[in-house]
Every structure is written in structure tokens, then in C-alpha cells.
Amino acid sequence: MITVGLTGGIGSGKTTVAKAFEALGIPIYIADDEAKRLMNTSKVIKRKLIALFGEVAYKDNKLNRPYLAKAIFNDKALLEKMNAIVHPKVGKHFIKWKNKQKAPYVIKEAAILFENGSYKNYDYIITVTAPEKTRIERVLKRDNASVDKVKAIIANQWEDEEKVKLSDFVIVNTNLETTKKEVLNTHTKLLKEVRKF
């Protein structure tokens, strides 16, 4: 089965695009959601995160997300250590999930496919883009964040131009109707690719 990676910077609208593919019957795996779930349910991950961050990593037996977010925000080495604990587990979980699907292809949505080098593990990559101003507005509406914080996150991610060069498909997500048409167009092209396999 073909595996398609879906990525894009913060506020680009990956979730909107993922939902549009889901409406076409394509199974979607949201890596961030699964990572959060596993960080709360996996005893191995819990033990390793407590060893890395201390007991404060969990509060009332739940992941202390505000604390972790603050701890890793300006500490790349700590972020890499945390990812080294979580990402392999998410990867294994994804393979199990994928093997249960009955579709021509599956999509794994992940924010940092290029940044962590995992883009090489996909048959095709779709990058979702939107103007920076639009992205900032979306994140401010969605999260309790400041403009400076959103800009700092954007600065930590690859620029769209770099992602686009390594992508098979690009979906510009500025208008919902146009985005849905682009998704349908991409879906049709992917179905043609599936037949070649």
C-alpha cells in the first residue's frame, strides 16, 4: 500500500486538507495526536520522559504539556532527546495501523517530515502552504499564543520553498473551495500512481 506524507508549517491548514482527503475515503493518521496519546498511555515512554525531564513531566498522571513545551522550546538538544523517545513508538504504531487499512493509499500527517528526515520513508509527499500572514492569523485564532511565539515556531520550521522542492504535490490552502478542488485533483493523480505499483 502506498504511504503518502502530508506536511506543512504551523497554520498552513494540514488538518483541513487531511479532512478533505478523509471525506474521499482515505484513512488519515495524525502523528501529533498519536504521539500525545502514546505519551499518556505508554509506560515505556512515561518512564523515559520522567528520566529526561523529572517527575514534573507528568501532573496527576497526565502529560504536563505546558511544562514540556516550555522546556523544549529553546532547547534543540532536549527536543531531539524527547523525539528520540516518542517518534520510534509512533512509527511502530503507524505501521500496525497501516496494515489494517483497506484503501488504495493512506496519509500520515506530520508537521516535521522534512526537519526530522523522515520524508524519505514515504512514497509521495504533499506539502500544504499558505501565506505567512494567513498562517499567523489562523494560529492566533486557534491557540492561546502571541504573534512573537508563532513567528518563533515558523522560524524553527523549514521554509515552504525548501519543502516544495522535495514534494510531489503542493496544495495552496487559502480558500476552502479551491483547496477541496486541489485535494480532489491530487487524489485523482495518486489513484493513477497506485495503479502503476
Side-chain angles (χ1 to χ4, degrees):
M1 187 190 287
I2 282 179
T3 305
V4 179
L6 175 67
T7 195
I10 187 169
S12 60
K14 293 181 296 296
T15 307
T16 302
V17 170
K19 281 178 182 164
F21 275 102
E22 204 165 34
L24 296 169
I26 299 305
I28 310 287
Y29 185 95
I30 311 283
D32 268 5
D33 290 354
E34 290 305 326
K36 283 171 198 159
R37 193 184 63 74
L38 287 167
M39 286 161 100
N40 275 308
T41 58
S42 163
K43 286 183 180 135
V44 177
I45 290 177
K46 245 182 201 182
R47 196 173 62 243
K48 287 181 177 178
L49 288 179
I50 288 168
L52 182 62
F53 293 98
E55 292 291 334
V56 75
Y58 288 85
K59 198 175 174 183
D60 303 323
N61 220 16
K62 285 257 186 284
L63 188 71
N64 187 350
R65 286 181 55 207
Y67 172 79
L68 290 197
K70 208 173 173 185
I72 61 174
F73 191 68
N74 287 315
D75 191 333
K76 274 216 165 103
L78 199 56
L79 172 65
E80 279 167 17
K81 282 177 187 170
M82 185 182 86
N83 286 344
I85 293 167
V86 180
H87 286 175
K89 281 272 188 194
V90 174
K92 281 178 188 164
H93 184 267
F94 170 71
I95 289 164
K96 277 186 194 167
W97 172 87
K98 180 187 163 183
N99 291 337
K100 291 178 190 163
Q101 304 310 314
K102 305 264 184 291
Y105 65 94
V106 297
I107 288 179
K108 183 179 180 183
E109 188 251 272
I112 54 168
L113 286 189
F114 292 113
E115 290 85 343
N116 66 18
S118 69
Y119 70 95
K120 299 178 186 106
N121 303 333
Y122 298 87
D123 300 301
Y124 297 95
I125 300 275
I126 301 167
T127 291
V128 183
T129 68
E132 191 171 300
K133 187 173 176 286
T134 307
R135 291 168 59 192
I136 292 167
E137 283 166 7
R138 282 175 184 161
V139 179
L140 293 178
K141 209 179 273 185
R142 184 188 73 196
D143 302 344
N144 184 16
S146 66
V147 173
D148 287 344
K149 189 178 180 190
V150 180
K151 283 186 172 175
I153 293 168
I154 288 171
N156 266 332
Q157 296 179 337
W158 278 27
E159 287 186 16
D160 283 350
E161 290 75 27
E162 294 176 80
K163 292 176 185 171
V164 165
K165 279 180 207 162
L166 293 168
S167 300
D168 302 285
F169 304 98
V170 177
I171 292 174
V172 180
N173 180 26
T174 48
N175 168 292
L176 192 57
E177 284 314 304
T178 314
T179 299
K180 282 180 179 173
K181 281 177 192 159
E182 285 193 46
V183 166
L184 186 58
N185 190 18
T186 306
H187 174 64
T188 306
K189 287 176 183 169
L190 281 165
L191 290 177
K192 280 182 189 163
E193 293 302 319
V194 168
R195 287 183 203 115
K196 289 179 193 171
F197 269 69

